[in-house]
Amino acid sequence: MQLIRFVGAAALVAAAACGTSSIYGGGGGGGAPCTGQGADVVVSANASLRFSPESILITTGKKVCWQNTASFTHTVTSDTGTVLNSGNVAGGSFYVHTFGATGTVAYHCAIHQGSGMVGKVVIQ
């Protein structure tokens, strides 16, 4: 069973979490861009300048797909280190990352961080 739940707004703990299989691409067609990517969890990067859900809890080896549902560009960028580094993700596109180690990865949209566009992945 997939282990996912919202994590409260506790203090962020900086920890490295290695990962593999970071990809990004266009949505193409009318379907959701994360469809068909084999993601265990989908996070929306939306037009309200928020990641939804903002916090997720997963286990190692799980694949997360950030789906840009806005019509403008977002990024998925680690607060520290380079665990998440999507570059620019155009509206309708996606970014996928598989987490290979336990820890907490705090991240933000480099373009909209000042507007509070932040998130967190806790990997157990």
Side-chain angles (χ1 to χ4, degrees), residues 2-4 19-23 34-43 56-66 84 94-100 121 123:
Q2 186 176 8
L3 174 63
I4 303 172
T20 58
S21 303
S22 295
I23 61 170
C34 285
T35 302
Q37 298 305 312
D40 297 293
V41 181
V42 175
V43 176
I56 59 173
L57 174 64
I58 62 171
T59 55
T60 57
K62 297 299 181 184
K63 184 184 291 187
V64 179
C65 183
W66 284 266
L84 299 173
F94 62 91
Y95 170 70
V96 177
H97 184 82
T98 301
F99 290 88
V121 180
I123 309 100

Side-chain angles (χ1 to χ4, degrees), residues 81-123:
T82 58
V83 175
L84 299 173
N85 186 12
S86 68
N88 289 336
V89 180
S93 295
F94 62 91
Y95 170 70
V96 177
H97 184 82
T98 301
F99 290 88
T102 60
T104 299
V105 178
Y107 65 93
H108 60 276
C109 172
I111 301 165
H112 303 110
Q113 182 178 18
S115 297
M117 191 167 185
V118 299
K120 178 172 60 172
V121 180
V122 178
I123 309 100

Side-chain angles (χ1 to χ4, degrees), residues 6-55:
F6 294 98
V7 178
L12 297 178
V13 177
C18 297
T20 58
S21 303
S22 295
I23 61 170
Y24 61 93
C34 285
T35 302
Q37 298 305 312
D40 297 293
V41 181
V42 175
V43 176
S44 171
N46 61 47
S48 298
L49 306 182
R50 295 289 181 260
F51 291 108
S52 180
E54 185 175 309
S55 297

